[in-house]
Amino acid sequence: MKKKAIIFGVTGQDGSYLAEFLLNKNYIVHGIKRKSSSYNTSRIDHLYRDPHEEGNRFHLHYGDITDGVGIANLVRELEPHEIYNLAA
């Protein structure tokens, strides 16, 4: 079973490097970005694939670290092994 990680702040410099690092270690990575960051994805554009593509291990979700209920639902749904908070 592959390990699963959630990264809050995946569109930032450290978040994008962490996503790449974990993907190279064969993780499934779920990146969380704020809706206001939707145009600031240049650091992760090379990682993104069609979500319907077979074998896709990088997934993007909208979320905000200040939305406790939304975060709890996301964690419950994804059941990650690791959670990283690099959100500003």
Side-chain angles (χ1 to χ4, degrees), residues 54-82:
E54 180 102 11
N56 186 20
R57 293 184 296 117
F58 183 71
H59 308 274
L60 282 176
H61 306 269
Y62 285 116
D64 193 314
I65 197 71
T66 62
D67 176 14
V69 173
I71 297 307
N73 289 337
L74 195 58
V75 169
R76 186 175 27 259
E77 176 188 332
L78 298 176
E79 297 181 338
H81 298 95
E82 301 168 12

Side-chain angles (χ1 to χ4, degrees), residues 2-48:
K2 292 184 181 183
K3 285 195 174 184
K4 222 183 296 184
I6 293 178
I7 303 174
F8 293 93
V10 73
T11 58
Q13 178 180 344
D14 294 343
S16 62
Y17 283 132
L18 178 59
E20 202 166 326
F21 176 79
L22 293 174
L23 288 167
N24 286 334
K25 292 203 166 274
N26 213 26
Y27 276 62
I28 297 170
V29 176
H30 292 269
I32 313 302
K33 65 178 188 165
R34 292 179 307 192
K35 285 193 185 250
S36 62
S37 297
S38 60
Y39 56 87
N40 185 23
T41 60
S42 61
R43 290 187 182 105
I44 57 170
D45 285 344
H46 68 287
L47 302 175
Y48 187 77

